Amino acid sequence: SPALSIGFRVAEDGELTDIEVVPSWVRVTRLSYDTAEERMAESPFTEMAAIAERFRARRRAGGAVEFQLPEVSVRLSEGEVVIRPIRFLDSRRLVTESMIMAGHAAARFAEQEGLVIPFASQPGPEGEAEGEGLLWAYNLRKLMRPSRVQLAPEPHGGLGLPAYAQATSPLRRYHDLITHQQLRAHVTGGQAADHDTVAERTAGVGERVRALRRAERLSNQHYKLVYLQQQGAWQGQGTVVERNGPKGRILLPDLAMEPSVTLPKGVEPGTQVT
């Protein structure tokens, strides 16, 4: 059956207008991030990037929290663990911003139409982060409070938006699937589920999602340790991000790891070490 398309206009001030949700067929052309990065100066990428930047500026004005910590891709290839850094590309930011736009548009549409969907919200950070560079980003992450899902729209402080819902991945996230089911029923003349039904369907999902994220995190940690075992003598640069007596935590960008180690005297947070 046709997929759902979420359409809207982005005004000069970044506000989304003329939001509509319609069943549609789309023709997909797959591009890697690297290929898209090489074409960011071409149409339609230039125009899309300008639209996304207007929306991003509005989110920033709304208090959006932006920081970047190192990320890596962990893969197993013929018995060898391969770790590659995920580069911060303009093409990635375009995709991310487009997904946030779609989620905001879906939440706005549901709110306007009186639809019950899993809205996502998050309080702003508790306090101001100290330090610079990776130390600042690490400290800011510690100040962020967990997001939560409820059946009425509330502000999402991390994104700087008055309403938000995850709606771009119905094949892999259950909350997105419910959102699509509700939107589809509404725009095709069907009967959307009521509050109690959606509440019943979403009960306990948050706990399962947290368990899955923990499993993924532990799996990545395991294979990073296998990688270090395979490498033998590994050496890299790190930033001290915490110190508590003789112990401290170091952020290793090449591995996106944060091991706890014994630190020499005088080595304080913010220090670069080998």
Side-chain angles (χ1 to χ4, degrees):
S1 61
L4 282 185
S5 286
I6 302 173
F8 47 83
R9 297 180 186 274
V10 183
E12 288 301 317
D13 63 356
E15 174 75 12
L16 301 191
T17 64
D18 301 331
I19 299 171
E20 63 176 1
V21 178
V22 294
S24 68
W25 296 100
V26 295
R27 178 176 295 136
V28 177
T29 301
R30 293 180 63 87
L31 292 177
S32 68
Y33 283 113
D34 289 334
T35 300
E37 188 73 13
E38 295 171 356
R39 299 177 58 184
M40 288 300 291
E42 304 175 8
S43 181
F45 300 100
T46 302
E47 293 83 355
M48 289 193 295
I51 291 170
E53 192 55 37
R54 292 204 302 269
F55 181 70
R56 184 183 179 205
R58 186 177 184 85
R59 292 199 303 107
R60 282 174 164 174
V65 181
E66 294 185 339
F67 62 94
Q68 291 179 331
L69 286 167
E71 297 181 64
V72 296
S73 168
V74 183
R75 294 289 183 270
L76 194 63
S77 177
E78 298 181 354
E80 295 290 322
V81 180
V82 179
I83 296 180
R84 294 190 177 92
I86 296 177
R87 296 189 295 153
F88 301 125
L89 303 174
D90 289 338
S91 55
R92 284 186 179 276
R93 188 166 69 183
L94 172 58
V95 172
T96 298
E97 207 64 45
S98 298
M99 293 170 69
I100 297 173
M101 278 191 280
H104 179 48
R108 289 263 309 276
F109 182 86
E111 185 178 13
Q112 293 167 4
E113 300 297 314
L115 290 173
V116 181
I117 66 170
F119 294 93
S121 67
Q122 183 183 36
E126 295 179 311
E128 296 288 336
E130 298 180 351
E132 298 178 352
L134 288 179
L135 176 60
W136 173 82
Y138 177 86
N139 286 334
L140 181 55
R141 185 185 65 184
K142 292 199 302 180
L143 296 174
M144 298 301 295
R145 290 178 281 180
S147 61
R148 65 190 188 96
V149 174
Q150 69 286 319
L151 303 185
E154 292 183 8
H156 196 296
L159 296 177
L161 293 171
Y164 180 70
Q166 290 184 319
T168 56
S169 301
L171 294 181
R172 67 182 182 90
R173 290 194 304 229
Y174 186 60
H175 285 145
D176 301 47
L177 176 62
I178 292 178
T179 296
H180 273 248
Q181 290 173 338
Q182 292 290 84
L183 293 175
R184 180 184 295 276
H186 182 72
V187 301
T188 58
Q191 181 65 47
D194 60 18
H195 183 282
D196 290 345
T197 301
V198 176
E200 182 180 355
R201 290 177 181 174
T202 57
V205 173
E207 295 178 8
R208 296 186 181 94
V209 169
R210 285 189 289 272
L212 288 171
R213 287 175 178 169
R214 182 172 184 272
E216 181 181 18
R217 184 172 64 252
L218 292 176
S219 175
N220 282 331
Q221 180 179 336
H222 166 78
Y223 282 105
K224 288 175 185 179
L225 295 175
V226 172
Y227 171 83
L228 290 173
Q229 190 176 51
Q230 292 175 343
Q231 295 295 308
W234 181 90
Q235 192 173 79
Q237 296 297 307
T239 299
V240 179
V241 290
E242 282 186 14
R243 173 136 202 171
N244 185 14
K247 291 286 188 178
R249 191 170 295 279
I250 295 179
L251 194 158
L252 303 173
D254 291 345
L255 301 176
M257 289 184 71
E258 300 165 13
S260 178
V261 299
T262 300
L263 295 172
K265 290 183 179 180
V267 177
E268 298 299 327
T271 305
Q272 301 291 309
V273 296
T274 299

